[in-house]
Structure formats: C-alpha cells, structure tokens
Amino acid sequence: MRFFSGKSAQARWFKAILAALCATLLACSDNSSQKHLAQAKAKPDPYTIRFVTINSPSTYFIDSQNNYAGLEYDLAKRFVEFLGPPYKLEFIVVDSFDKVFPTLLRGDADIAAADISITPARKRQVLFGPAFNQVQAMVVYNRDKNGEPNTAEALFEKRIVLPKSTSFVERMRELQSKSPALTWKETDKLSSEQLIEAVARNEIDFTVADNHLVAIMQYNYPQLDAGMMLGQADKIAWALNKLHGEERLTQMQVFFKKIEKDGTLRNLLDRYHGHTKRLKPVDVTAFLSKSHTLLPKYVRLFKSAQEITDIDWRLLAALSYQESHWDNYSTSPTNVRGLMMLTEQTSNMMNVTDRLDPKQSVMAGAKFLLWMKDRIPSRIPEPDRTFMTLAAYNNGVGHLEDARIIAQKLGLNPDSWADVKRGYQLLNDPAYYVNARHGYCSCGAPVIYTELVRSYYQIMQKYFPAYDPGVDPYKIAETKIPWLLAKAS
C-alpha cells in the first residue's frame, strides 16, 4: 500500500478529495437536472380543460343535494360539452382569490373562472374572454351598527377589510387617490363571503363586494345593506394565459355567442341571480323569526310529506310560508284556507275533510304539487321544471302553457323559466291574450310568487339540513294516480 507524505502528498490528497466532491456534486446535479427535465416533459393532457376557481355562491359550490353547482361551474361544464369528446373538465379550487391568477400564469390551469372583473390592470396580465355578466362593487355595512356610508369621509377611521388582490382593492385605491386619509386592511385568509359575514357580526365595519353577492348574503343576514357604489359597473369574464391562450379564446368566443343566442346564458343568470332582489330585509327578518317560532310545530309534517312525494321538505315549507306564513288558520277572501291555502276544489280532489287540519293540509298540498309537476313536460330540465310547477300551483297549468306558447312565438325557449317569465308578463297585453287559449291573466303574480318561494327555499337551505328518510317503501313511484285523475276530471 502506498502512503502520501510531505507537501506533495498533501496536495495530491486534497486534489483527490476535491475531485471526488466535484464528481458527487456533478452526479447530484445531473440527477436533479434529469428530474427537472422529466417534470418538464410531463405535459398536461391537452384534452383536459383545467379551470381554476374559488368556492363561493357565485362561482362553485356543493349544493344541499350534494351536487356541484354555481354559475362558473355550470358555464364550464357546458363549455366542455360544447367542445365535445374527448375533452374533459377539471376544477382546481384555490382557497383565496389572490391565488387564482398565479395558478393560471404558471400554467397549472388553462382558464380562470372565479367571478373575475375585467380591469385595466388585469388586461395587462391576461387575456379575457367575452363578458357574460355585469356587477357593481358596493360598500357593505351593518345597518344595525353603522349609518349608510355615502361618502369617502364616512369610511375614515373605520375597520375596513378587503379580500387581497381583488378588483375591490383597485376601486378603493381609486377612491384613496382623492381621499388620502382612507385606509383599510387586506387579507388572503378570508373570502368575500366570509368578510360579509364578519360585517354582519360587527367584527368589522365595512367591506366591499359585488352587488349580486350582497343580495344573496342579505337572505342570510337581513341586517346587511349596500352603501355607496365604487366606480363604474364591472364586466365579468374568464381569463386566459397570454402565452398560449389564443386558440382557447377563439373557442370561448364561439361558445358564448352560441349560449347567448340560444338563451342558455340568460337562463343560467336567472337560475343563480334572478330571484335575489324579491325579498326586502324586513321580509327576511320576519321569515327567520317565524322559522324559530312557528316552523318547529310543522317540521315533522313537511318531512312526512317528503317521504311520500320525494319533494324536499324545505321547498314544501317555503311554499307553505308563501301561502300562509305558517298560520294554520289563515283564510283568504276567496276562501282558500290552511297551511297550504287549499281551495275547496283542490281539497275535494285530495279527499281533505278539514283544511284547517295541518296534517291533511300539508300532505294534500305536497301531493297536489307533485300532480302539477307531472302535468308539465318531463323534458324540461331542473330546476326550471320545479319553478314552472310552482307557478302552476299558484295560477294553474293553463296559463303556464299559454306563457310557454308566447315565449316560443317570441323565439324564446319554452322550456326555460327565464324565458317563460317573459311570456307570463305578456298575458295582460291584448295583443297576446286575445289569442291565448285561457285568455287574460294578471300573470305577474305567479312570477312573483315563484321567485318568492325560491327565495324562501334558498334561506331554508342555508339554515336547515336536508332530510334523508332512507329506504321508504311508501314513496310514490308514479304520479299519474288513477283515483286522483278521476277526481280531477
């Protein structure tokens, strides 16, 4: 064995160690480079369209029936269906809005769909598709704790928190340029919805949100209100990465042009926002109060009716509230009575012996609603078919069919509630009702009725859990009941 000795030996020893270290580092570097190259080569499936979004009532959520829902979700689903096989849909849900654009820009998503306002600053970052909605930024306040903020001065020295990286921050900066004393805090930990809830609980004084979200949240917190508007109305659109979004942008343009022309877009906007301005705060307050005082006496009846008819007990309760405000002894000038405000004809049809008996009233009302639904074409998709059923419960199937025919003659979709509402509103116009089979109708009433029931149902879904009766051998499988039809004839 040979040993190193002296300075030359030490020098050779250091060179050997250095060479070994370099070889090790080079090997590590090569392995690391190979890993990075492998990752770079692992390109995403070109037929999987990845949408990045956030959870909110306006974008993407799981509804009370455990189904995916939200305007952005429905639009994305239809876009992928429009592209056809082999395209597939994938949603990437980030926990705050300020992560949406970074996810898009680093290539982890193909499209950003998160209720995104088009602003000049954002247009420098991304490509925007066609605008499909319009919103207005509003200062949100709690009317029980603060006066209405109509000026920038009303916001001075207040607890204001905004969701980070949103258009609301841009709007506040514009206001601050004219009123330098204005200050606020920004957070990436809380969503717009959570900040609005914080205002309702008086944990902060103000936040800023879009008007359609404020309208939805007012159903849960009637003490909320919208103060001053910030800037002009914003248009909402999907965003694309400028580096490789041109081809997808062309597809988007064709898609949105199609759904705007065929009424799909109008129907989706109505589904999520068409009913949100029907209730006043005082109405919501009264409803919430009675849901704690009167409703508990009848919950079991509504759930029993669900077991028989498979209609969500919360929808039945919302319908009953619209009819009688859960006043069992309610009677109208036209002699409709009880919790479900049954007419004599309907009561006879349903073999009701006492309309003021809550059990008979709820069950008969639920069965009659189910019977009405069976008379409406099954091709009509949900939830439009349910909305039309509610209108028919209020004012008959005949006027509903007249409204659908008018909608069709106008070139609208007779299977879309958003379009049928237009047909209803024309049934008091001689140019239309003289040719209608069932004649004149003050048909704004069933439209308002339906939208109010929708509103109460939405509140019920927020505060009361769904009911799962499990396997029930008594559930009706067929609604064309021979004895019921015989009674109706």
Side-chain angles (χ1 to χ4, degrees):
M1 183 178 292
R2 183 176 178 182
F3 292 91
F4 295 113
S5 61
K7 292 183 179 179
S8 60
Q10 289 178 343
R12 288 196 297 275
W13 183 78
F14 278 122
K15 286 180 180 178
I17 293 295
L18 184 61
L21 286 171
C22 288
T24 302
L25 290 171
L26 188 59
C28 290
S29 177
D30 286 345
N31 288 338
S32 178
S33 297
Q34 288 172 2
K35 288 180 181 178
H36 285 304
L37 286 171
Q39 290 173 354
K41 290 177 182 177
K43 294 181 179 179
D45 178 2
Y47 295 109
T48 297
I49 312 299
R50 301 165 301 166
F51 285 81
V52 58
T53 191
I54 56 173
N55 282 122
S56 86
S58 301
T59 55
Y60 175 90
F61 60 94
I62 296 176
D63 66 16
S64 62
Q65 304 301 318
N66 210 32
N67 297 316
Y68 293 112
L71 178 60
E72 297 283 22
Y73 171 77
D74 281 348
L75 285 171
K77 181 181 176 182
R78 283 164 174 75
F79 178 61
V80 173
E81 290 172 351
F82 163 77
L83 294 178
Y87 285 97
K88 296 173 291 184
L89 172 64
E90 179 182 331
F91 261 93
I92 301 165
V93 183
V94 293
D95 57 13
S96 63
F97 186 87
D98 74 313
K99 295 179 182 178
V100 170
F101 282 147
T103 303
L104 175 71
L105 294 176
R106 67 171 173 260
D108 291 341
D110 303 299
I111 299 171
D115 211 19
I116 301 171
S117 299
I118 301 173
T119 68
R122 289 173 177 171
K123 289 175 76 172
R124 291 191 288 270
Q125 284 185 288
V126 298
L127 284 174
F128 279 106
F132 59 83
N133 199 6
Q134 184 169 293
V135 295
Q136 176 64 60
M138 313 284 290
V139 177
V140 185
Y141 72 103
N142 183 330
R143 77 166 67 84
D144 293 341
K145 302 296 181 180
N146 285 295
E148 182 177 356
N150 286 321
T151 63
E153 288 73 18
L155 305 177
F156 290 173
E157 299 181 358
K158 294 290 187 178
R159 299 170 299 170
I160 304 172
V161 185
L162 307 178
K164 189 177 179 181
S165 302
T166 58
S167 60
F168 311 133
V169 175
E170 294 181 41
R171 293 300 190 194
M172 285 291 275
R173 285 174 182 161
E174 293 171 4
L175 187 61
Q176 188 185 50
S177 66
K178 302 173 184 177
S179 303
L182 179 61
T183 60
W184 64 88
K185 292 182 179 180
E186 298 172 25
T187 179
D188 60 357
K189 305 300 182 184
L190 298 173
S191 65
S192 284
E193 184 179 2
Q194 291 170 315
L195 288 174
I196 293 173
E197 289 176 336
V199 172
R201 293 190 297 264
N202 197 38
E203 295 169 355
I204 61 177
D205 294 313
F206 304 116
T207 189
V208 178
D210 288 329
N211 60 321
H212 61 230
L213 181 58
V214 178
I216 292 172
M217 297 298 290
Q218 283 177 313
Y219 280 179
N220 303 327
Y221 304 100
Q223 68 270 41
L224 291 171
D225 212 337
M228 63 188 293
M229 297 185 294
L230 293 184
Q232 301 296 315
D234 290 323
K235 293 182 178 179
I236 302 296
W238 288 347
L240 293 159
N241 194 317
K242 281 188 173 183
L243 296 179
H244 43 72
E246 292 289 348
E247 180 180 353
R248 195 73 69 209
L249 176 62
T250 301
Q251 294 171 331
M252 269 188 206
Q253 290 167 339
V254 176
F255 167 70
F256 277 103
K257 185 176 181 179
K258 174 183 180 297
I259 65 171
E260 186 172 4
K261 184 177 180 180
D262 67 17
T264 299
L265 178 59
R266 182 171 59 254
N267 193 33
L268 288 176
L269 290 172
D270 178 81
R271 179 175 301 177
Y272 289 102
H273 303 301
H275 64 295
T276 54
K277 296 180 181 179
R278 287 293 177 186
L279 292 184
K280 297 178 181 178
V282 65
D283 300 321
V284 178
T285 300
F287 179 79
L288 291 174
S289 175
K290 290 180 180 180
S291 71
H292 289 93
T293 57
L294 296 178
L295 178 60
K297 294 189 292 184
Y298 306 118
V299 166
R300 182 61 256 171
L301 297 180
F302 291 124
K303 289 183 177 180
S304 295
Q306 176 183 325
E307 292 174 1
I308 299 299
T309 63
D310 206 23
I311 299 173
D312 188 342
W313 77 272
R314 296 168 298 180
L315 178 60
L316 295 173
L319 174 63
S320 176
Y321 184 84
Q322 174 58 26
E323 289 285 355
S324 67
H325 284 204
W326 298 321
D327 177 2
N328 185 48
Y329 298 101
S330 181
T331 303
S332 79
T334 56
N335 199 34
V336 292
R337 309 186 74 187
L339 280 178
M340 304 299 278
M341 295 297 276
L342 303 176
T343 64
E344 290 185 16
Q345 181 182 3
T346 302
S347 297
N348 293 335
M349 179 180 175
M350 294 292 171
N351 286 341
V352 172
T353 58
D354 182 1
R355 286 183 286 167
L356 298 185
D357 176 359
K359 184 175 181 180
Q360 290 191 61
S361 182
V362 170
M363 194 61 70
K367 288 181 178 179
F368 185 66
L369 185 67
L370 186 65
W371 180 71
M372 277 288 185
K373 189 170 187 176
D374 190 63
R375 299 181 69 192
I376 295 171
S378 59
R379 70 171 182 274
I380 298 176
E382 290 291 358
D384 299 72
R385 191 172 179 220
T386 292
F387 299 158
M388 293 186 202
T389 302
L390 293 172
Y393 185 97
N394 174 253
N395 207 27
V397 173
H399 289 307
L400 170 66
E401 286 305 306
D402 287 344
R404 294 182 66 235
I405 290 169
I406 290 173
Q408 189 169 32
K409 288 180 178 179
L410 292 173
L412 302 175
N413 181 2
D415 295 343
S416 160
W417 172 243
D419 290 349
V420 172
K421 285 197 292 188
R422 175 63 179 153
Y424 261 127
Q425 291 160 356
L426 292 173
L427 280 172
N428 64 356
D429 184 339
Y432 293 92
Y433 72 69
V434 292
N435 296 314
R437 181 177 179 182
H438 297 87
Y440 170 84
C441 171
S442 179
C443 277
V447 171
I448 295 172
Y449 176 94
T450 301
E451 304 299 30
L452 288 172
V453 174
R454 289 176 64 186
S455 298
Y456 292 129
Y457 181 42
Q458 181 172 317
I459 299 173
M460 292 288 295
Q461 289 174 302
K462 169 73 175 180
Y463 288 104
F464 296 91
Y467 173 57
D468 183 4
V471 179
D472 181 12
Y474 302 107
K475 188 174 292 182
I476 292 176
E478 175 59 63
T479 58
K480 293 179 180 177
I481 309 165
W483 66 265
L484 195 57
L485 294 176
K487 287 281 185 182
S489 61

